[in-house]
Every structure is written in C-alpha cells, then in structure tokens.
C-alpha cells in the first residue's frame, strides 16, 4: 500500500537501478585451472591468478559452484536464503585429462575445461549439454562486481525470477534484482517489489534450474541484445550458484524448494475470500462491512485493517478513538465467521523524546540499522521520521516477533507486512542508504548487499514470533517484498497494481512465474489497487482470483470502493458465482496446497509445467492450470466475449457442462461476461463440497468426487484433510484419501488419524457410460441412492463410514 504521489519516484528508481547494474563485458575473467584437489563433497580448483572454485555435490542432480576471485575476501559460508545445508553423502566420480576434469554423479556430468576455465553441465545418461559457460566467470576488482555468462540455446525458454511485471517466457529480456516500491507498475516496469535470482531453462522438453545466491543488486540478460549468451552480473558479493538438473520442470522446482525451504501448510481459512481497503475505520465500519457481506450472501473469511488502525502510524499500537476495544471487535467478527488481519510496517517512529515503548526498547538494545559513522539511520515513512530494525540480529528478530503480542492478544489472526523493500520516502532509489551497514552475523555487510534480504528477515521475525505467541495456531504472514526462501515464512501478493485490464493480463504470467520460483501462495488485489475500474473488470478479476491461493479484494485510499455490491446486482452476481465456486472447490484447492507444502510444486501453474514436452505450451501465459486437473482460460481484455483456448493432447471435459472436448488443438469458445472457459483433464477425480459463507461454517458434507475418465476409462485423485488450524498435522494427525477408477470400479481408501464428522459421499461419474446397477462393497445399492443428473452424469450418494469403499458400475 502506497500513495500515488510516489509513482514518479518509482520511475526514477527504475532508471537508477538500470544505470548501476554491472556490465559483464567490463569484468576480468578468472584464471585457468592450475591444480585440482578432491574434497569430501566434490572438487576444489586453484587457478593461475590465485582464484579458487569449489564444486560441491549436494545430490545427484544438485551441484553448488562457489568462486573466490583473486584478491576477494572470503565471506562466511552462510545464506539467509538456504534452508537445507546438510545433505546425504552422494557418490561421485572424478576423471581428468590434459584438457578437462569431469565430476560425475548418477544424473550429471560436470565438465570443467582447464584453459580457459569453463564449466558445462551434461546429462549423465545421454551426454546432452544442459547448460554451459559461454565465457569464464569474471570479476571487477575495483568495484567488486561479479558475473557469469551461459550459452543461450537457439530454442531455449527462460522462466522464473520471482515477481516480474513481464510475460512468462523471459527470453530476450533484461531484468534487475533490487526490491523496489513501485506503485502503479505496468508491463515492463522493472525492478518491482521482489527479487528471486532463480531461473529455469527449457529447451526441447529438457529443463534445468540456476539459482544465484547473491543478494546484491544484480541483472539477468537472456539474449537481450544478442543471441550469444545469457548473462548474470551482480554489483558485489560472491559468485555462488546452484545448478539443478531436470529434465522435468516439476523436479527442478521441487529440488529448489528443498534447498530454500517450502511453504508451511496454511490455515484453511486463509484460502477463503478476504476483504480490505486502505483503510477501514472506525470499528463500527468494519462490523458493517462484515454484516453487508452476510446480507448479500457473499462468502467472506477475513477483513484487513490498513495503517489507520494505529496511533499515528506507530507499529504495535491501536488508535483508541477508532478502535477502543480491538479484542471485542475481533470476538464480534469471529462470531460471524470473520477473522481480522492487521498491517505492520517496518518503519518505527523516531521518537527520542520518549513515550513510545517500541522505539525506546529498540534504541536501548541497539536493534536499529546504523551507518558507517556509527549513527542510527533515520528515514521517513508513514510515521514521519523513522528507524528500521536490523533483522539480521537474532535478538532483534525475537524482540520484533514478541511485540506482535499487542495484536495477537487482541485476537488478530494474521499479519500483513508492507513497505518492506524497505520503502523510504526520502529516497526510494536506495542511494541515500549506501552508508548503512547490516550486522549480518558480525560481517557488517553494506546495505547494497542486504536490501533484497530485508523483507525475508522481517517476515522470518514475524512468523517465528507468531509461532511463539500462538503455538497452537499456524502462523499466517503476508508480504510485499522478498528474496529467495521467502516462501518459508510468508504469502506473497503482487503489490500496488492498477485497476485496469492491462494489469489484469499480468496476473497469469506473474502468478505462474512466482510459482515456478518456489512461491505457491500468491495473489493480486481484486480488481486492482489503484484506480476505479468497473463492473466488467471486477467480474473478470474474480474469474482468475477464484483460483489464486491468496484471494483478496483491496483498494487504495483515493479509489472507488470495490466491494462487489458497489458495482450493481449484475456484476455482484458474477462475483458471487465465482466466490462460491471457490468455496465449493476448497477440498480440491486445500489438497493441492498440501501437495505444494510437501513438494514445492505450486497450485497455480503455467501449462508448460504440466505439459513441458508440448512445444505449444512454452509461451502460453493467458491460460493456466490449477494443479494437474483444471485448465482455465480467462478473459483479460475489455468487451471480449470469445477467445481461443489451446488444450494439450488428450481428452478434456467442459467443467460447466461435462461435455467431452478434443485436446491437441485450439478451440474458439464463447466467453460471455459471466463465464470462464474452464476444462477438466480426462483422468482426473476432483473433490468438492457445497458453498458456505465461511470456511468454518460447517463440515464438508456432502463430500463430492467428480470422476472424469480418460480414453482407457481410468481416473485418479486424492483428498487431504486435517483440522485446518493447528500444527497437529505435523504430528501425523491428518487424513489422506486415495481415489481411483478403472474398469468400471471406483476404490476409495483413507489413511490417517484425523477424525471427520459423519457425512456423505457423492460420487459423480461423467461420460457416456451405460449403468444398470451399482455395487457398493459387494452389495447392490438401491436405486434410490443413485441417479442421472440433467447433464447425463451418474450420481451415487453413500454414507462415509471411514472404511474403504468399492463401487462397481455395471
């Protein structure tokens, strides 16, 4: 959330970042290999110019390359991004000849050319080159800038980089990593809020990943002005990267999130519909909003409080006039099934005259960022003059986390962290901050090397604080900025977007890129934060947002109210349709989010993640997959009432009608304003339930399984359930149900200690199948328990007794 007057400053910031980015061609290449030594994990290369390169085998498909250039001081072997540092010992081989050294695992051959020093990664089975240096690694001894240049495949596609206001395939693009406060960004604005220096390459169905773990300002060029190479440069720090072999994109994403950490399983309520604005106050207005949602039959789980709930924008305070009894407000809303989330900014009001305990304690304990001359840095954000916490200090993180008691004791369910690039009204470019030093485990690291990690460590402090304060509840933290590993602590929303169709069209590639960058829990403000928008935009926004994990309506202080009823009954009705669809699909969505928690593979996916061997999907970024089963083709242009939809090879079903649709081709389909073209992949079984006003209103009863057989008459699916709120799932208290259909027989088997209330299953079999009898666990089921729907699907209703179920359709 940010005032519109900052847009000009943000434009200046973008230009500043571009000017400062290092140029790879000005760097001095590393020397040739002079000697090679084997280590416990791989190889150490000594170079003729005094540089050294360490290659560490962490897994058969994961190799770390860490370079110390001549004259460069070694830093601690520590990263704020890395979650896993201990790996099982992986067998490897070493072969040498006069020209090269080869480090081999079961999946990779890393070939190191001696002179010049060039590294290439080959598939162990086929010998195919997956990635290779175009030029030696290099550094500028005067500035400290480092760089690498990789060969660029003629047909290579590039994905990832976290949050970029750009299309899905980054080929021919140039992108800067420098967390920046950029309200009203448009396609091409760069950088914006978040920096994830990871990209995935894909060529002819074979994928790999490269993660450069360096938080300094950096630039990626994927053949921007020349076909010769894909270049990476950073203004300082080490050249330290991890190579991840595929060939599957899903495997790369999964391994990357194993390295940098995976999303914790979110509370079920966080997948519900959320309402916000800058700002709702006083407390009576907040209650009124909740009541209006219930009166309009619009499901709602959360209301957000923006900065005006605080006393003079001082963090961890309440405005006693606007919110005299926050705990009472939280209790009242809770009785209606609505939770409260409050915003928390990093700027602590500079109040040396006393009277503000947060400032006083932080100053006394030396928790604020200092400059090279020893003075505390004082910037300016909403409270006026402000200081900023050095979250690289463990004791400062704990102190910050503990201060959230002022919110949790009032019944606040989650924390929304904002302005954490960090924003500073005095200088959004970061130039004014160059004399700041972060403690960084005693290294006194310059601001330019730590800015990109500021939000990561703030989110960590918040998340860990909530864990301590509410050990029986799953923490829920939202962030605007971040660095690699942010998914361990926070949900990501795409900042201060515009209420325009141009902005809406960015949602699909931005969400997909964030998912490929290890962040499954993502979303954007509906129907856009800045500007008025209209009913058509609201309707189309909800058609995408219904399938994005973070599902929030939000608007700026000077923008038109955007609650669905503001646009009239017709548009409100469309929003209601898709909000209720979201709640009906919660069993499927929650199951898919649990998969993301376990594997790192996101819920919201580009088609290429599921169909990477299909070259047609490589650049499609106006359609998306929801898990493995659903394909959505939203409309993102005003007045458009039909569109082209590409369905990959195989059979598909129209979600709305159940009609079969041919895959392997492009269809032109109608898309009236109240309709989202939505398809089910044949071979899927999708769990769902009935709509409800909030996630805790009632159990999932009936629990429905829609079966969509493939060409062989088979389908599979699953359902994950737990209490949706506590950490009991970490102790094994959950229920996992496997569902399969083959040869006319459905089997349903559950495992786990989580107990569910008494309920019914509804089994819905789609497709043209003649059925004269249904046999349940060997017993003929009375015809009263099964019937045909108006659309021709066969529906069976049966009690869930917690035991395995077998249904035969004869």
């Amino acid at each position: 959330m940010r005032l519109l007057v900052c847009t000009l400053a943000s434009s200046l910031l973008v230009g500043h970042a571009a000017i400062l980015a290092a140029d790879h061609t000005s760097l001095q290449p590393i020397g040739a290999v002079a000697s090679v030594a084997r280590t416990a994990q791989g190889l150490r290369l000594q170079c003729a110019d005094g540089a050294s390169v360490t290659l560490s085998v962490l897994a058969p498909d994961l190799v770390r390359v860490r370079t110390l250039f001549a004259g460069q001081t070694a830093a601690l072997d520590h990263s704020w991004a890395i979650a896993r540092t201990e790996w099982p010992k992986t067998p490897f081989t070493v072969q040498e000849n006069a020209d090269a050294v080869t480090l081999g695992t079961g999946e990779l051959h890393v070939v190191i050319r001696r002179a010049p020093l060039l590294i290439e990664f080959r598939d162990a089975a086929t010998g195919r080159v997956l990635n290779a240096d175009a030029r030696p690694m290099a550094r500028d001894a005067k500035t400290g800038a480092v760089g690498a240049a990789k060969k660029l495949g003629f047909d290579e596609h590039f994905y990832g980089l976290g949050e970029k206001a750009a299309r899905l395939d980054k080929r021919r693009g140039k992108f800067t990593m420098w967390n920046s406060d950029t309200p009203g960004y448009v396609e091409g604005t760069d950088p914006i809020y978040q920096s994830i220096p990871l990209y995935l390459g894909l060529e002819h169905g074979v994928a790999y990943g490269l993660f450069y773990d360096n938080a300094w300002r950096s630039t990626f060029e994927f053949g921007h002005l020349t076909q010769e190479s894909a270049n990476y440069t950073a203004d300082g720090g080490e050249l330290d990267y991890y190579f991840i072999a595929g060939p599957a994109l899903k495997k790369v994403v999964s391994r990357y999130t194993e390295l940098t950490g995976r999303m914790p399983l979110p509370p079920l309520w966080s997948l519900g519909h959320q309402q916000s604005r800058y700002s709702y106050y006083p407390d009576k207005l907040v209650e009124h909003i909740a009541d209006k949602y219930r009166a309009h039959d619009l499901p709602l789980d959360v209301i957000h409080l923006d900065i005006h709930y605080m006393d003079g924008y001082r963090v961890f305070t309440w405005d006693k006039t606007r919110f005299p009894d926050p705990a009472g407000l939280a209790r009242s809303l809770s009785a209606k099934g609505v939770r409260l989330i409050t915003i928390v900014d990093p700027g602590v009001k500079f109040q040396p005259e006393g009277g503000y305990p947060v400032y006083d304690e932080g100053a006394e304990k030396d928790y604020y960022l200092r400059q090279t001359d020893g003075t505390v840095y004082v910037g300016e954000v909403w409270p006026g003059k402000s200081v900023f916490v050095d979250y690289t200090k463990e004791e400062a993180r704990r102190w910050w986390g503990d201060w959230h008691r002022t919110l949790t004791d009032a019944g606040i369910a989650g924390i929304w962290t904002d302005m954490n690039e960090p924003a500073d009204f005095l200088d959004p470019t970061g130039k004014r901050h160059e004399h700041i030093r972060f403690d960084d485990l005693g290294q006194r690291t310059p601001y330019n090397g730590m800015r990109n990690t500021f939000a990561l460590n703030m989110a960590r402090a918040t998340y860990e604080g909530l864990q301590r304060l509410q050990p029986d509840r799953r923490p829920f933290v939202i962030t605007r900025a971040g660095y690699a590993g942010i998914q361990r602590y926070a949900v990501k929303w795409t900042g201060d977007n515009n209420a325009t169709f141009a902005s809406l069209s960015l949602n699909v590639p931005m969400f997909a890129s964030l998912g490929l960058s290890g962040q499954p829990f993502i979303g954007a403000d509906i129907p856009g934060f800045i500007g008025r928008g209209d009913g058509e935009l609201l309707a189309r926004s909800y058609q995408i947002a219904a399938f994005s994990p973070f599902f929030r309506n939000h608007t700026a202080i000077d923008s038109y109210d955007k609650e669905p009823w503001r646009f009239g009954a017709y548009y409100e009705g469309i929003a209601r349709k898709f909000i209720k669809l979201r709640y009906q699909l919660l069993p499927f969505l929650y199951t898919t989010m649990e998969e993301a928690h376990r594997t790192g593979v996101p819920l919201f996916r580009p088609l290429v993640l599921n169909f990477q061997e299909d070259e047609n999907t490589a650049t499609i970024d106006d359609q998306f997959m929801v898990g493995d089963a659903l394909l959505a083709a939203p409309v993102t242009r005003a007045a458009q009432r039909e569109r082209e939809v590409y369905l990959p090879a195989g059979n598909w079903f129209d979600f709305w009608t159940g009609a079969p649709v041919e895959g392997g081709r492009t269809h032109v389909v109608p898309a009236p304003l109240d309709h989202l073209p939505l398809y089910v992949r044949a071979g899927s079984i999708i769990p769902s339930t009935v709509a409800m006003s909030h996630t805790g209103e009632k159990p999932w009863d009936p629990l429905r399984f829609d079966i969509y057989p493939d060409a062989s008459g088979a389908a599979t699916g699953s359902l994950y359930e737990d209490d949706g709120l506590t950490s009991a799932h970490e102790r094994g208290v959950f229920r996992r149900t496997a569902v399969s259909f083959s040869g006319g027989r459905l089997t349903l088997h559950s495992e786990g200690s989580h107990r569910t209330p008494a309920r019914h299953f509804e089994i819905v079999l789609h497709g043209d199948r003649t059925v004269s009898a249904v046999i349940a666990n060997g017993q003929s089921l009375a015809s009263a328990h099964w019937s045909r729907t108006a659309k021709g699907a066969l529906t069976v209703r049966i009690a869930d007794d917690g035991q395995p179920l077998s249904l035969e359709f004869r």
Side-chain angles (χ1 to χ4, degrees):
M1 175 270 301
R2 193 74 161 82
L3 282 179
L4 306 188
V5 295
C6 298
T7 303
L8 175 59
S10 300
S11 299
L12 295 174
L13 168 59
V14 174
H16 183 77
I19 292 169
L20 291 185
D23 177 9
H24 189 277
T25 60
S26 68
L27 310 182
Q28 183 67 32
I30 196 169
V33 176
S35 64
V36 179
R38 182 166 178 157
T39 68
Q41 278 194 303
L43 297 173
R44 178 171 292 112
L45 315 176
Q46 290 299 136
C47 301
D49 62 352
S52 64
V53 181
T54 303
L55 291 91
S56 302
V57 177
L58 306 184
D61 59 351
L62 178 63
V63 174
R64 180 186 182 188
V65 179
R66 187 184 184 199
T67 301
L68 185 66
F69 290 94
Q72 188 176 17
T73 303
L76 290 176
D77 189 7
H78 169 268
S79 167
W80 297 105
I82 300 299
R84 182 172 185 178
T85 56
E86 298 295 327
W87 297 81
K89 187 173 182 180
T90 301
F92 63 88
T93 60
V94 178
Q95 295 181 332
E96 294 191 57
N97 60 38
D99 297 323
V101 184
T102 300
L103 176 67
T105 73
E107 296 188 35
L108 274 174
H109 286 167
V110 186
V111 181
I112 304 111
R113 309 292 176 186
R114 296 178 185 269
L117 198 170
L118 297 169
I119 300 174
E120 64 183 35
F121 298 89
R122 293 177 174 267
D123 181 87
T126 66
R128 173 177 176 167
V129 175
L130 304 174
N131 177 268
D133 287 347
R135 298 186 295 275
M137 299 175 287
R139 182 174 185 263
D140 186 328
K142 293 181 180 179
T143 66
V146 296
K150 299 290 185 176
K151 290 181 179 178
L152 191 151
F154 183 76
D155 293 314
E156 191 168 8
H157 305 277
F158 298 95
Y159 310 107
L161 298 187
E163 183 188 39
K164 291 295 174 187
R167 303 292 294 271
L168 176 69
D169 186 358
K170 306 299 189 294
R171 183 180 176 87
R172 295 293 189 178
K174 180 179 180 180
F175 304 93
T176 298
M177 303 288 122
W178 186 248
N179 291 0
S180 303
D181 180 8
T182 48
Y185 61 87
V186 296
E187 183 175 351
T189 302
D190 188 69
I192 54 175
Y193 300 105
Q194 189 200 69
S195 301
I196 308 294
L198 161 80
Y199 71 84
L200 293 78
L202 175 69
E203 188 169 25
H204 303 313
V206 176
Y208 67 87
L210 265 176
F211 169 47
Y212 289 93
D213 189 12
N214 181 326
W216 286 74
R217 186 199 317 265
S218 59
T219 300
F220 289 84
E221 295 181 279
F222 301 110
H224 178 52
L225 297 177
T226 172
Q227 177 70 33
E228 294 176 0
S229 58
N231 300 329
Y232 164 81
T233 55
D235 287 355
E238 293 188 350
L239 186 58
D240 184 3
Y241 69 84
Y242 295 79
F243 181 84
I244 307 169
L249 285 165
K250 287 182 180 178
K251 180 171 175 281
V252 174
V253 173
S254 187
R255 182 65 88 186
Y256 167 75
T257 54
E258 184 180 12
L259 178 67
T260 61
R262 292 190 176 132
M263 171 197 73
L265 188 63
L268 177 62
W269 59 261
S270 68
L271 294 177
H273 187 216
Q274 308 186 29
Q275 180 63 53
S276 181
R277 79 158 295 127
Y278 166 31
S279 290
Y280 286 133
Y281 65 87
D283 52 358
K284 295 293 187 274
L285 176 59
V286 178
E287 291 224 51
H288 180 66
I289 292 295
D291 291 340
K292 289 280 283 187
Y293 261 95
R294 295 293 177 251
H296 282 255
D297 189 26
L298 291 163
L300 184 71
D301 267 84
V302 178
I303 293 179
H304 293 244
L305 300 183
D306 212 313
I307 59 175
H308 290 99
Y309 79 90
M310 292 182 271
D311 176 15
Y313 309 126
R314 295 171 180 86
V315 292
F316 307 122
T317 67
W318 289 90
D319 184 313
K320 292 302 183 181
T321 301
R322 293 168 175 168
F323 295 91
D325 182 13
L329 173 63
R331 285 193 299 271
S332 176
L333 291 174
S334 178
K336 301 168 186 174
V338 176
R339 288 174 165 82
L340 270 177
I341 287 178
T342 49
I343 200 168
V344 175
D345 289 344
V348 177
K349 183 174 178 60
F350 179 64
Q351 193 168 320
E353 65 274 16
Y356 179 30
V358 179
Y359 172 79
D360 294 341
E361 281 189 16
E364 178 187 354
K365 296 178 179 180
D366 191 25
Y367 289 159
Y368 301 131
L369 287 170
R370 291 185 177 273
Q371 303 181 96
T372 52
D373 63 4
T375 60
V376 171
Y377 175 78
V378 180
E380 185 173 325
V381 279
W382 299 120
K385 289 185 177 181
S386 302
V387 292
F388 301 86
V389 176
D390 184 350
Y391 297 109
T392 66
K393 294 182 176 181
E394 182 179 0
E395 63 274 20
R397 291 197 302 275
R398 187 174 186 90
W399 169 79
W400 182 263
D402 289 346
W403 262 105
H404 286 78
R405 185 180 297 280
T406 61
L407 304 174
T408 58
D409 282 355
I412 298 307
I415 301 298
W416 164 23
T417 60
D418 192 19
M419 305 288 286
N420 53 355
E421 292 70 37
D424 187 343
F425 296 164
L426 296 179
D427 181 9
T429 70
K431 184 69 175 176
R432 187 175 189 268
H433 309 139
E434 289 182 348
H435 297 294
I436 293 174
R437 294 294 181 268
F438 286 76
D439 179 76
D440 193 20
L441 305 184
Q443 296 181 98
R444 303 296 297 162
T445 303
Y447 179 88
N448 289 352
M450 295 299 296
R451 176 182 175 117
N452 286 340
T453 66
F454 183 89
L456 170 68
N457 284 316
M458 181 187 178
R460 176 179 177 178
T462 304
Y463 183 89
E464 292 175 348
L466 294 179
Q467 278 185 314
R468 292 191 301 274
L469 294 170
Q470 299 177 315
D472 62 334
R473 294 290 183 265
R474 302 176 199 175
F476 185 69
V477 181
I478 306 165
T479 189
R480 189 168 75 177
Y483 181 67
I486 187 64
Q487 66 274 2
R488 303 197 299 267
Y489 310 116
V491 170
K492 165 68 184 167
W493 105 100
T494 56
D496 299 347
N497 59 345
N498 295 310
T500 63
F501 274 95
S503 181
L504 181 64
S505 70
L506 283 173
N507 281 1
V508 175
M510 289 182 74
F511 294 174
S513 294
L514 285 161
L516 292 175
S517 304
Q519 299 174 82
F521 207 140
I522 41 80
D525 289 339
I526 309 166
F529 180 71
I530 298 171
R532 177 165 181 150
D534 59 17
E536 182 181 13
L537 180 64
L538 180 87
R540 294 304 194 190
S541 296
Y542 269 102
Q543 290 166 12
I544 296 176
F547 299 100
S548 66
F550 186 54
F551 188 33
R552 180 178 75 165
N553 183 309
H554 184 46
T555 192
I557 192 169
D558 57 350
S559 290
Y560 187 75
D561 307 86
K562 296 194 175 91
E563 298 90 358
W565 59 82
R566 306 287 188 179
F567 298 88
Y570 174 63
Y571 300 108
E572 178 190 348
I574 298 172
R576 181 183 297 108
K577 171 183 174 179
F578 286 94
I579 297 170
K580 288 196 170 188
L581 175 63
R582 163 67 162 236
Y583 281 74
Q584 291 166 12
L585 288 173
L586 276 175
F588 171 65
L589 298 176
Y590 191 57
T591 297
T592 311
M593 288 297 279
E594 192 273 336
E595 178 189 353
H597 159 67
R598 277 187 297 108
T599 69
V601 179
L603 179 151
F604 193 105
R605 305 176 185 177
L607 270 61
V608 70
L609 188 59
N610 285 346
F611 303 98
Q612 73 179 58
E613 309 235 345
D614 183 346
E615 295 282 351
N616 295 309
T617 67
T619 60
I620 292 177
D621 56 11
D622 63 349
Q623 302 176 200
F624 61 92
M625 293 289 298
V626 186
D628 281 324
L630 293 177
L631 184 152
V635 170
T636 58
R637 290 188 303 191
Q640 184 177 350
R641 297 297 183 265
E642 70 174 22
R643 63 154 296 164
E644 293 180 349
V645 178
Y646 177 72
L647 296 178
N651 296 332
W652 297 81
F653 292 83
D654 186 298
F655 175 84
W656 305 104
T657 68
V661 186
E662 180 185 359
R665 55 172 290 223
T666 298
H667 302 261
V668 178
V669 302
L673 187 55
D674 64 349
H675 180 71
L676 168 71
L678 185 63
Y679 303 88
V680 185
R681 187 179 183 180
S684 304
I685 300 177
I686 298 178
S688 64
T689 188
V690 294
M692 53 192 74
S693 62
H694 60 90
T695 55
E697 181 183 21
K698 52 191 174 183
W700 291 342
D701 184 25
L703 191 58
R704 174 171 166 155
F705 294 94
D706 281 86
I707 307 166
Y708 297 90
D710 62 17
S712 67
T716 59
S718 65
L719 172 70
Y720 173 85
E721 298 172 277
D722 58 24
D723 65 21
L725 186 63
T726 75
S727 58
H729 65 285
E730 297 175 357
R731 303 185 296 274
V733 184
F734 57 82
R735 180 177 179 179
R736 198 181 303 279
T737 301
V739 191
S740 63
F741 180 77
S742 181
R745 178 194 295 267
L746 175 81
T747 58
L748 190 153
H749 179 74
S750 298
E751 294 181 343
S753 58
H754 173 66
R755 299 299 178 190
T756 58
R759 62 186 180 188
H760 286 82
F761 289 144
E762 278 188 2
I763 314 297
V764 182
L765 178 60
H766 296 265
D768 296 327
R769 185 182 184 93
T770 301
V771 176
S772 58
V774 178
I775 310 300
N777 291 337
Q779 301 295 318
S780 181
L781 197 63
S783 59
H785 291 279
W786 57 279
S787 61
R788 289 276 182 189
T789 68
K791 297 175 183 176
L794 183 74
T795 300
V796 177
R797 185 178 176 91
I798 191 168
D800 172 19
D801 59 6
Q803 300 301 311
L805 173 66
S806 173
L807 286 181
E808 294 181 60
F809 297 89
R810 296 180 179 174

